[in-house]
Structures are given as structure tokens and as C-alpha cells.
Amino acid sequence: MLTSRRRLLSGVLLGSTAALLPIGARAASVRVETLLSQMTLPEKAGQLSCFNDEIRPVGAVFNPVIDPRGGDAMLADIRAGRIGMLFNGYGVAGARRAQEAALTSRLRIPLAFAADVLHGCRTIFPIPLAEAAAFDPDLSRRAARAVAVETTAGGIHWTFAPMVDVARDQRWGRVAEGAGEDVLLNQLLAAARVEGFQGPDLTRADALLATPKHFVGYGAVRGGMEYAAVDMSGAELRETFLPPFTAAFAAGAGATMASFTDFGGVPVSANRPLLTDMLRGELRFDGVCVSDYDADRELIAHGVAADEADAARLAILAGIDMSMQSGLFVRHLPALVAEGRVPLGAVDQAVRRVLTLKERLGLFDDPFRSIDRRAERRETGSVAIKQVAREVATRSIVLLRNDGGLLPLPRAGKRIALIGPFGADRANLNGPWSFAGDAGDGIDIATGLRAILDDPALLVVEAGSAIGESLPGGIERALVAARGADIVLLAIGEGADMSGEGNSRTDIIVPAAQQALAEAVAAVGKPIVVLLRHGRALALTGAVRDAPALLATWFLGEQTGPAIADILFGKVEPTGRLPVSFPIASGQQPWSYDRRSTGRPAPDSDPMTPGRSHWRDAPDQALYPFGSGMGYTRFALSALRLPGTVAAGAAVPISVLVRNIGTRTGSALIRLDVHDRVASRTRPIRQMKAFARVTLAAGAEARVALTIVGDALALIASDGTRQIEPGRFDCWISAGDETEIGGSFEVR
Ligand code: NOJ
């Protein structure tokens, strides 16, 4: 973990060779330049246009249906050179038909095939937010690699992932797609996922081009409302929202997608300062910038474009290389160039990037790469990918509460009532963007439990409630089950369609019908283990909040049942930690553990001190802040070692002695947070700068070393420049909820 962090940060600091070239000036190959010189304007506009694949539709509908034309018309447009890329189609047979059509076009330019593969193609993994809970870039890299192998075997070259939007407002539905609220975790996982998807060589049949998205700031939509406007300071943009993109680009991502939101009054799809000055100039990104779905046409609804031609003009001039679904580029660019409203050079530069991307993927040498029936049969749903999916699912679960050591449960001798709409349900295992996954393939909780119990007949399953409404007689049946049990497992939370795109919520609570079920069941008085299902952090109340044991289980995908069973019965130690803070109440949003101090902070000892920062009905605290989570053992920290003084920019080596003081082998996530005491701009009250994992047998101890990379102490100073300001930094090392040890060091 530390090695990959060092590699990432040195990449960020040193830049790549591309960083030495002027804006967008990756020297195109002779092949690309020759092709470009032969292309007509309509053919160029065609290369810059991509459409939802109607030749091999995937089944699920992910975007609003806009201008459908049918598979045959699509094949005709491909032959006419009017399409450069198809997305969200699946399967080798259809890919072959489409590619054969492209090879009959005048210049025989192959198509690229993309898809929204966010957490698995056919075999569905935990949602990215859940996977982030493993705090393990290496695991994310391996997961992305496994997903890339299966995805490319289905005739896809390119994924619109990873989603790297930092998300500090849990009302926003798309929190589910990313790595949560922390900058460092987002950076590390962005790089790991890009490396995993793309693999060592982009021309290989199993390499999946990555698209860190959405550039940039989408996670900060106002009020957490989907598609709303974004406004932020330049410092916030550079300190919080840009770093994951920088990391993903340093890892070699070949594409990015522009956010559809308004940013400071200029929608990103028309925002040249962001898409050209920043993306190409400051970040030196030389890959393809694809628009979001219909986003160029949406410039009309935003009120900055008069009509479709105007929208196309604004988008290409801002820096969009490829227009998605609207057809605006293919319809309007030729006339816009002819009328002198768009310089030919802008179109040529975008075409150069798109053709170069296809060349990097090896498509000119082998247009049928990743179109292989044998690979499709071999890799789809393979034993190997299911193993990785199960490992990730188990590592994603976070144990938030375990009063009296209720967990792990014994495998024999206890009557268990599994109550709640998700106990035996398969339709809600996968969560949002489960691309070609079939919910029926997944293993539900009840099935997972029966497979591990010595006597499966001791398990009783009762829904008790539907997701959003009560079931006639549901609570009564649940109460009978609870009374007859020794332990109640309560499988409640959000349905699969309650998070993800278009699913922002104002009140991030367990739906009322399920809360009523929980209250009724709790009144029976049996020990309750809550198995929470969710695509975001939730505001828990009443019997759910107060249950003696609580597991955050997200949407874990196909391997849900086995993963939950492994953790519940202690076959596997819970090791997940929260990548997002669980608030006390919805009204606290947006909120993050690394917020800045106010001028009147409330003391930790009395967070409701009158006249100090808090709400009338809630402190400025989370119920379970970022990083919360425990295992079945406990750790003690001692003997902190840190330098008294370091030079600005130098690495800060810190170490601590970690001892397993429990009775089981366990894995501790050792985390290092820092606070800059006095700076020219206010700083986060604390912010994670490094973490490492150590596994120790009961009674064993080890010294764990963590290094703060010099640049990690930098800030965007009040004059807008990136600087490390001298002074004293507080630091804290923690190993789970209650165990923390602190010190400070001086930067000269
Ligand atoms: C809209 C979403 O914002 C984006 O993330 C996705 O990649 C596109 N639709 C394509 O499906």
C-alpha cells in the first residue's frame, strides 16, 4: 500500500514525459496524420460522435432514451462513417457485426466500444463506495483487473470508470459510484482502478481503457440535488476535487468525461477554462474528453446556447472531443466549420485525439481485438472472477457496533430469525450501474447463511415489510419469527434504485415502513444484528441506531450472501472502514470529517456548548465518522516515534507500536491524520495523510511505519499558489474507533 502510494505521488510530482509537451500536443503518429489528411469534414464529425449501442443492447436502460434509430439504421450510419464509438452494448456477436460494418466504411476506421462498467460487467462486484471501505488500493487494482478481463471478453474496449468525484453530501445519489469523502483515499483508489482496468499494455485484448469522471466538481452539486449547479473556490477545487483526477491521469488514464453540471455559471460542457486551460494546460492531459450523455444539447436548457448548432460550437471550442448521443457534432460541425464559426484546427485536434486513442488500443492493427467467442465463453462468470468478487465483498463490510461481543455468532445451537425485505431478496443485491449483471445470478443473504450454518433448519426468514411500504400482516409475522428466535438479523435499508444517478434524497433515512418494522421487532427484546443495505451513508435512528450490533453491508453484488455469512460467523475478520461519515441527522449534510474549523468551534467535551458551532438539535459531529469500523479483536497503540523538525518538502517518517490486545488474530488499519496549526488559509481540522494495514495474532505486536510524503503538507495559499508553509503540525495515529495516540512536529 505504501509502495503504491509512493509510486503514485512521485508520478504526480515528477509528471510524465507528456507533461513537457504543449497543450494537447501529443505528437500524432504518421498513420493518424495520414488518415486525418484523407478525411472529409463529415467523416471527421462522425469520428467525434458516439451513440448508445442499439445493435447489441444490454437490456437495462441506463440513460433516457433519446433519438433511437434501431440497429439496422445504426449499422448503415457506421458504414457511412457517421459514428466513431458505440457504448453500452454487450456481447461478441454484435460487436463483430458492428466492427465489420465499420470496416466497410470509406476509410475503414474501426469503432471503439465503451460501456459503463463501474463495478463489474456480468459478474457484479460491490459498488465502488463499498469497495473503498477495504482501504486497499491493491485490492481495488486486482478487482479492476478481474473486471477488465471479463468486460473485454464481452467485446468492450473502454469503460466510463472510475468515477472519482469526491462526495461529501450523502444526499447525492452518485456517492455510491465513487470512493467517498476523503481526498487521499480517492486519489489512491483512482490510480489503482485505472491501473487495474488498463493493465500493463493497452493494446492487449484484455486491456480496458479507463475514463476518470466527471471532470470536475460534480460531487459538490448544491443541496446534493442531481444535476444541480456547482460553485466553489479555486482552492477547494485544487485541494479537494482535482487530486483524484491528477492521480488517475498520472496512472495513464486514456480518457475523461466532462461533468454535465453548471460550474460557477458556465456549464462544464462549455467551460473552456476547465476543459482546456486546466485539463490540457495545467494537468497536461492528452487523452480524449468525451461529453456526458446529451450534455452538449443540454447547454440549451442551461440557457447558454441558443440552439443545437450553437451548443455544438460551444462544446467543441470548450474542449469536448467527442459528443455523446445528441448527434450534435455529426449534424452541425461541418456547417459550423464551413461558416467559419468553428476553426478546422479545433475539429482536427479532437479527431487526432480520438484516432490516437484507437491506435493506443491497437484497433488499427487488430480491429477485432476483444472480439473473440472463446474468450467470451472462458471469462464470463469464470471461477476466478467470482473468487475476486467474493473477496472484495467480504472486505467491503464494515462492523460499526458490536456491544457485548454479540458477534461473531456461533454456527450451531442458535435459532436465528432473518427479518427484513432484503433477507431472501435477489433483486436488490447489485445496486446502481450493474451493467450486464443479472440479479438472479446473485446469492442472497438467506442462501449464504444456510450454506454456513450447521443446521440450516434453525434459520427462519420473514420479510416483515416491503422496501418502501408495509406488507399486510408483515409485522405480525415478523414478531412471531422474532419471538421464536435467539437472535434476530435485521436486513433493512435502501433498495437498489434509491441511490445512483438521478436518486438524490432529501432525507437519508431507512424508509419509514422498515423503521416501523425495526421498532416493533426491537420491542420483542431479542439481540438484534442490523445488516444495513445502502448506497450512501445513512442517518440512523431509533431501534436501528441502537441495535447492539450493526454491519454496513452496502450493495455487495453477486457474492452478498456468502460475504455476509463469512463475517457474521467469524470465518473472516471484519476489516472494512467507512469511506463516508454516517451523520446524526440528514440536515447536517454536506459534512466531512476533514471540514475546516469555524471561529467558534465547540469543545469535544461539550459539543453542544451554547454560542458555539452546532445545530440546535445536533452537534458538529458524525454518528460514525469517516474511518469508523472494528474487527473482532482490539488493538493498543504506544511508543509513537516522530521527528521533532523536518525540512519543508521532506518526507516525515512516523511509526507506532501496535499490539493486538484481544483473543483473536486481527487486522488493524493504522491511519495517520494531520492538522496544520497556523497557515495563511484555514485548514482541515484533521485530514488523513497515510494509512497502512497490519495483521497480528492475539498478543502479538509490531512497529508500523507511515510516511507523510512532503508534498502532502502543501496547501493552496491565499495567493493561489501551492506551498508548504513552515510551522507546527499536529498528528494523530489511530487504529479504529477508540484507540488514538497523538503528537506534533515542526516544518522548517
Ligand atoms: C450519464 C452519466 O452521468 C455518466 O456517468 C455515464 O457514463 C453516461 N450517462 C453514459 O451512460
Side-chain angles (χ1 to χ4, degrees), residues 22-112:
I23 295 184
R26 170 191 279 266
S29 68
V30 172
R31 169 159 50 194
V32 165
E33 290 298 340
T34 308
L35 257 182
L36 187 64
S37 70
Q38 294 166 352
M39 291 170 82
T40 63
L41 249 178
E43 283 167 340
K44 290 177 182 175
Q47 278 307 304
L48 302 185
S49 301
C50 62
F51 299 91
N52 182 49
D53 193 336
E54 295 176 49
I55 298 161
R56 45 170 194 156
V58 72
V61 178
F62 300 109
N63 293 289
V65 178
I66 292 173
D67 304 335
R69 68 185 91 179
D72 288 342
M74 196 153 249
L75 285 167
D77 280 335
I78 294 168
R79 285 188 206 102
R82 293 166 58 83
I83 297 181
M85 178 260 270
L86 292 178
F87 63 93
N88 287 352
Y90 180 55
V92 155
R96 181 169 292 280
R97 261 192 300 148
Q99 198 63 297
E100 278 169 355
L103 295 180
T104 63
S105 65
R106 190 179 75 89
L107 291 171
R108 301 170 45 81
I109 299 176
L111 288 167

Side-chain angles (χ1 to χ4, degrees), residues 45-318:
Q47 278 307 304
L48 302 185
S49 301
C50 62
F51 299 91
N52 182 49
D53 193 336
E54 295 176 49
I55 298 161
R56 45 170 194 156
V58 72
V61 178
F62 300 109
N63 293 289
V65 178
I66 292 173
D67 304 335
R69 68 185 91 179
D72 288 342
M74 196 153 249
L75 285 167
D77 280 335
I78 294 168
R79 285 188 206 102
R82 293 166 58 83
I83 297 181
M85 178 260 270
L86 292 178
F87 63 93
N88 287 352
Y90 180 55
V92 155
R96 181 169 292 280
R97 261 192 300 148
Q99 198 63 297
E100 278 169 355
L103 295 180
T104 63
S105 65
R106 190 179 75 89
L107 291 171
R108 301 170 45 81
I109 299 176
L111 288 167
F113 300 117
D116 283 290
V117 174
L118 272 287
H119 57 116
C121 178
R122 187 81 178 78
T123 305
I124 301 304
F125 282 58
I127 52 169
L129 183 64
E131 187 196 278
F135 274 67
D136 188 345
D138 191 52
L139 183 73
S140 291
R141 190 177 298 109
R142 285 195 291 119
R145 186 86 293 272
V147 167
V149 168
E150 189 187 64
T151 306
T152 51
I156 293 165
H157 313 120
W158 174 353
T159 177
F160 296 146
M163 198 279 253
V164 304
D165 298 325
V166 175
R168 280 129 183 252
D169 193 328
Q170 304 301 313
R171 294 172 298 181
W172 187 45
R174 304 197 79 168
V175 168
E177 296 176 43
E181 73 188 44
D182 179 62
V183 179
L184 177 63
L185 193 59
N186 264 285
Q187 276 180 287
L188 295 175
L189 298 191
R193 286 168 173 163
V194 168
E195 288 166 4
F197 283 137
Q198 297 196 162
D201 173 2
L202 264 182
T203 64
R204 269 172 50 166
D206 65 3
L208 187 65
L209 189 101
T211 312
K213 66 185 185 184
H214 307 81
F215 194 83
V216 59
Y218 191 172
V221 281
R222 268 202 193 147
M225 191 186 78
E226 188 60 290
Y227 312 131
V230 171
D231 251 300
M232 67 175 75
S233 70
E236 171 143 307
L237 176 62
R238 288 188 168 75
E239 285 180 353
T240 302
F241 291 90
L242 270 188
F245 285 94
T246 314
F249 297 153
T256 189
M257 184 185 290
S259 164
F260 2 58
T261 65
D262 168 4
F263 189 105
V266 183
V268 178
S269 311
N271 196 317
R272 189 172 166 89
L274 286 181
L275 294 186
T276 296
D277 301 346
M278 176 168 279
L279 181 65
R280 306 296 182 180
E282 198 173 320
L283 303 186
R284 304 278 157 180
F285 176 67
D286 63 2
V288 166
C289 178
V290 62
S291 83
D292 203 334
Y293 192 88
D294 210 36
D296 47 7
R297 184 155 45 191
E298 288 176 8
L299 295 173
I300 301 169
H302 275 294
V304 298
D307 53 29
E308 291 194 347
D310 197 26
R313 179 184 67 85
L314 286 171
I316 186 108
L317 293 182

